[in-house]
Amino acid sequence: DARDGDTVVFPPMVYHLDESGLRVKSGLTLSMYGAVFRLDEHRKNDGAAFVGRDVSRVRFHGGKIVGRNDAWA
């Protein structure tokens, strides 16, 4: 429900992402210091952790994406 210009804060913890990823909208700032986004280890397709269509002006601060480097660099 975040709106253009909002900051979305992800507290430091591990977030498990399925093949759908996390939807991102235009104009957001994502504050992810200390957050780890772990991709589903059973995923069959390469996919993005963060997804969106016609998205612009998004700022990502901090965070780490982990998983499936064995299958997709």
Side-chain angles (χ1 to χ4, degrees):
D1 291 338
R3 297 183 205 159
D4 194 331
D6 283 353
T7 296
V8 179
V9 177
F10 291 87
M13 60 186 282
V14 177
Y15 298 88
H16 295 274
L17 301 178
D18 63 16
E19 291 190 37
S20 301
L22 187 68
R23 187 174 178 87
V24 177
K25 298 178 182 179
S26 291
L28 296 179
T29 297
L30 303 180
S31 178
M32 308 177 294
Y33 295 105
V36 176
F37 298 89
R38 184 171 298 280
L39 301 176
D40 180 4
E41 62 187 50
H42 301 293
R43 75 174 37 218
K44 294 178 178 37
N45 299 310
D46 188 6
F50 300 95
V51 297
R53 172 167 257 153
D54 298 324
V55 176
S56 64
R57 302 175 292 105
V58 177
R59 293 184 289 177
F60 296 88
H61 298 285
K64 180 177 182 180
I65 299 171
V66 177
R68 295 312 317 243
N69 286 351
D70 62 316
W72 306 290

